[in-house]
Amino acid sequence: LAGIEGATDEITGRLWGRPTSLFLAYQATITGLDTYRATHQLQGGIKFGEWEGKGPTLYLAWYHGRHIFAEYFDRELSTLGAGFTVEF
């Protein structure tokens, strides 16, 4: 299990008088018994408001690896999705 993330508010500046931050995060895991396979997760988006404070987040996420809940242990899944969260 390894990962890295980064965020900056230098690119986007302020929106509606509040800071905004772009972020990018990556995580890799290796699983298996007889043969090992890597699973990759990448997420990037924008957070409206203080980075460690309240506000909505819009993001795109990409996943590639074994099925997320391991229901098909011998098959791989590659998917892209969009989402949002609200921290309050």
Side-chain angles (χ1 to χ4, degrees):
L1 175 65
I4 187 167
E5 63 182 54
T8 182
D9 59 0
E10 300 293 323
I11 299 171
T12 54
R14 300 176 75 80
L15 185 63
W16 299 302
R18 308 237 345 166
T20 58
S21 299
L22 292 176
F23 69 91
L24 187 65
Y26 172 76
Q27 179 180 344
T29 56
I30 298 176
T31 58
L33 294 174
D34 295 333
T35 60
Y36 292 94
R37 291 184 184 168
T39 297
H40 306 277
Q41 299 178 57
L42 181 66
Q43 187 179 82
I46 186 167
K47 164 81 185 270
F48 300 96
E50 298 288 337
W51 180 246
E52 294 185 9
K54 300 176 181 179
T57 301
L58 300 173
Y59 64 87
L60 286 174
W62 173 72
Y63 177 90
H64 179 78
R66 294 186 181 213
H67 270 253
I68 297 170
F69 299 112
E71 68 272 32
Y72 303 110
F73 64 90
D74 60 339
R75 298 183 192 169
E76 289 196 351
L77 174 69
S78 188
T79 185
L80 178 68
F84 72 94
T85 60
V86 179
E87 297 176 64
F88 54 94

